[in-house]
Amino acid sequence: MTDLTMRLQEIGLSEYEAAVYAALLRRGTSTASDVSAEADVPQSRVYDVLNALETKGFAVVQPGRPKKFGAIDPESAVDQFCRVRRQQYRSELDEMRQVGAELSDLVGDDDGGAFDRDDADVSWSYSDRHQILDKLAALTGGATEEVLMVTTPTSFERVVNHHAERLVETADGGATIRALVSTDRAVAAPVLEKADELMEIRRVEDIEGRLYTYDASHIVLAFRNPADEGYVGISTRSPHLYRTFAHLFGLMWADSTAVERR
């Protein structure tokens, strides 16, 4: 995977979409057959992928026999994609708020008795990185003793940017925050500067999944799901599992290196 295709996947393109768009950038206007060979995407999938890229604003279609496809320049494509995603997200939020209001009307007092239960060792899964970030933000805001993170530069940047205020409140409240961030690339300087004031940060090699623990009991695991090219998050409350992860964290921390500051 190239840096380009990796970045494209980070903003929301699938693996095939990223590969095909990169191929269009390299080749210029091309037939679907040429793109399939260049991107190493099966012929049976390439038309669907090209149509998806057109819908998302990354490609244009030139009518003819055969059709040809061209790449929109990256800056314009990403701007358009952001506008589309922003509108989709707003529509989804409006729909969720409406459903939430309807649920509140449907759920009576007798149906809500289990809301305040604090069961241990119960797991919940999240299939979207926005849900995962919201869960991490809630756990960060509730932490009073310790937050441990093992994560990638991209996910670390998302965490710091997504709930910086919660991290500030937790740090000001006296909780210890430590982060182990993989060394596959540098952390963005503004993020590092912001995080430096709140936590201890070290670098470690060969991390692909993400692990977050809170107050010696709550654990969140997050990783990319190869089946649908999205993210999966799993949270659970387990002091026993926490002790194992905390031990592993200590071993990695001892083997980590300091952050290089420019």
Side-chain angles (χ1 to χ4, degrees):
M1 187 184 300
T2 66
D3 289 343
L4 174 60
T5 55
M6 184 182 300
R7 287 298 191 181
L8 290 168
Q9 289 184 62
E10 289 292 348
I11 66 171
L13 296 191
S14 71
E15 181 180 349
Y16 279 172
E17 289 168 353
V20 167
Y21 180 64
L24 287 174
L25 288 174
R26 290 193 299 269
R27 289 186 56 89
T29 302
S30 306
T31 65
S33 178
D34 290 338
V35 172
S36 173
E38 176 75 17
D40 195 22
V41 171
Q43 282 271 10
S44 60
R45 293 292 310 278
V46 71
Y47 275 105
D48 289 340
V49 174
L50 286 164
N51 289 333
L53 287 174
E54 182 190 13
T55 300
K56 294 177 179 180
F58 284 85
V60 291
V61 179
Q62 185 181 96
R65 291 180 177 273
K67 287 182 180 179
K68 292 187 177 181
F69 301 84
I72 302 296
D73 72 273
E75 185 173 357
S76 299
V78 171
D79 284 345
Q80 171 65 15
F81 188 48
C82 287
R83 286 193 291 271
V84 171
R85 290 297 294 269
R86 188 180 298 115
Q87 184 57 46
Q88 290 175 340
Y89 191 48
R90 287 173 179 168
S91 298
E92 290 171 2
L93 284 176
D94 290 341
E95 184 177 344
M96 283 188 280
R97 290 190 184 101
Q98 180 61 36
V99 171
E102 293 172 0
L103 287 174
S104 296
D105 293 336
L106 291 171
V107 177
D109 292 339
D110 293 339
D111 299 315
F115 287 168
D116 295 327
R117 292 177 61 187
D118 189 22
D119 296 328
D121 296 325
V122 174
S123 297
W124 301 90
S125 64
Y126 308 86
S127 58
D128 178 85
R129 65 181 171 88
H130 299 291
Q131 290 180 310
I132 297 170
L133 284 169
D134 289 344
K135 180 64 176 179
L136 298 179
L139 291 172
T140 297
T144 59
E145 299 175 7
E146 179 183 69
V147 176
L148 304 179
M149 292 182 268
V150 181
T151 188
T152 64
T154 298
S155 293
F156 181 71
E157 290 166 358
R158 285 180 181 150
V159 165
V160 174
N161 289 326
H162 179 269
H163 48 271
E165 292 183 2
R166 299 284 184 93
L167 289 165
V168 170
E169 293 169 0
T170 300
D172 288 346
T176 298
I177 306 176
R178 291 190 290 167
L180 282 168
V181 184
S182 62
T183 57
D184 49 301
R185 71 168 177 83
V187 177
V191 173
L192 189 59
E193 183 177 351
K194 185 189 303 183
D196 252 345
E197 301 175 0
L198 307 173
M199 65 187 76
E200 296 180 76
I201 309 166
R202 304 277 292 179
R203 307 302 299 271
V204 66
E205 296 182 359
D206 300 327
I207 292 177
E208 294 185 9
R210 293 87 168 155
L211 165 67
Y212 310 87
T213 70
Y214 303 85
D215 281 357
S217 63
H218 214 125
I219 299 158
V220 177
L221 291 166
F223 52 92
R224 185 178 289 277
N225 181 4
D228 61 10
E229 296 159 357
Y231 286 88
V232 174
I234 301 171
S235 72
T236 184
R237 291 175 57 87
S238 172
H240 309 293
L241 188 57
Y242 165 81
R243 284 194 287 272
T244 299
F245 282 139
H247 178 67
L248 293 173
F249 183 93
L251 294 175
M252 287 191 292
W253 188 268
D255 196 41
S256 61
T257 58
V259 175
E260 293 185 8
R261 292 169 173 78
R262 298 177 182 178

